[in-house]
Amino acid sequence: MDRPTPARLFSEIRAALPKGRRWSEVRKRLGGFGQAISPLAKLTALAGLDSEGLIKAFSDRISGDTSASAAKRMAEDALRQAGQPVLVVMDDLDRLTPDELLLVFKLVRLVGHLPNVYYLISFDEQTLLDVLQRSDLVGNSEARAREFLEKIIQVRLDLPAFRERDAPP
């Protein structure tokens, strides 16, 4: 998985949408929502501020109702009207750094909570718990890492490990 950002999350959701004219409005609204929150996310970037993006975002906000909350409402409305579930598959979360992993979970939980959008997240649990324990949020506590994970994952499906004889040649 590439470095997580709000723009990448919304790009993945848009890519998961069915093709066709019926979905063009949903794509447009999701793109608008992703653009609305991207400058806000840049504020928290460790590398510093993106002044060009912030200036553009600020001027956009004062020139009309293009706030992130308005963009989210429009995206939610478009997804409700489409009336079809969308599945976004996220794989290899256990390969992310602690900061990247927390960002993915925050994006899914706070921003990606959209009507008719569902996430299938695959990971190796022990590796993910180890990564979470290296984060400042969880600290060196497996119990806290498990509690955090339980807040994000709503339905769990554990698959058995591959046996050597079942592995592809």
Side-chain angles (χ1 to χ4, degrees):
M1 177 174 214
D2 293 332
R3 187 172 182 345
T5 65
R8 283 216 170 104
L9 174 66
F10 287 100
S11 175
E12 290 302 317
I13 294 172
R14 288 177 67 193
L17 294 174
K19 306 299 179 227
R21 216 164 87 199
R22 173 180 170 205
W23 289 90
S24 64
E25 185 66 20
V26 177
R27 277 190 187 79
K28 178 181 171 187
R29 299 295 181 194
L30 281 172
F33 181 35
Q35 288 174 351
I37 66 166
S38 286
L40 302 175
K42 288 179 183 174
L43 282 172
T44 61
L46 296 175
L49 299 177
D50 178 292
S51 58
E52 180 182 344
L54 290 173
I55 292 168
K56 181 184 182 322
F58 181 73
S59 65
D60 287 348
R61 301 296 181 274
I62 61 175
S63 67
D65 189 10
T66 59
S67 65
S69 59
K72 183 175 185 184
R73 278 192 306 275
M74 289 189 286
E76 289 171 339
D77 290 344
L79 283 162
R80 275 190 205 95
Q81 288 174 6
Q84 185 174 341
V86 176
L87 179 65
V88 178
V89 179
M90 296 182 172
D91 192 12
D92 296 332
L93 289 185
D94 46 15
R95 295 181 184 180
L96 297 174
T97 67
D99 290 339
E100 291 170 339
L101 180 62
L102 289 176
L103 179 57
V104 167
F105 284 150
K106 287 177 185 178
L107 287 171
V108 169
R109 186 166 180 243
L110 300 175
V111 179
H113 185 72
L114 298 165
N116 296 324
V117 176
Y118 302 93
Y119 300 89
L120 175 63
I121 303 173
S122 68
F123 54 86
D124 174 73
E125 181 182 36
Q126 191 56 54
T127 304
L128 200 67
L129 291 171
D130 292 344
V131 171
L132 283 170
Q133 288 177 72
R134 292 194 324 255
S135 73
D136 292 334
L137 179 69
V138 171
N140 195 18
S141 168
E142 185 170 331
R144 286 193 61 192
R146 281 189 190 283
E147 289 170 7
F148 179 80
L149 196 55
E150 287 172 5
K151 290 179 183 179
I152 304 298
I153 308 300
Q154 294 176 351
V155 177
R156 233 183 114 111
L157 177 62
D158 293 323
L159 300 177
F162 273 115
R163 293 178 297 208
E164 192 172 313
R165 66 183 169 109
D166 296 333

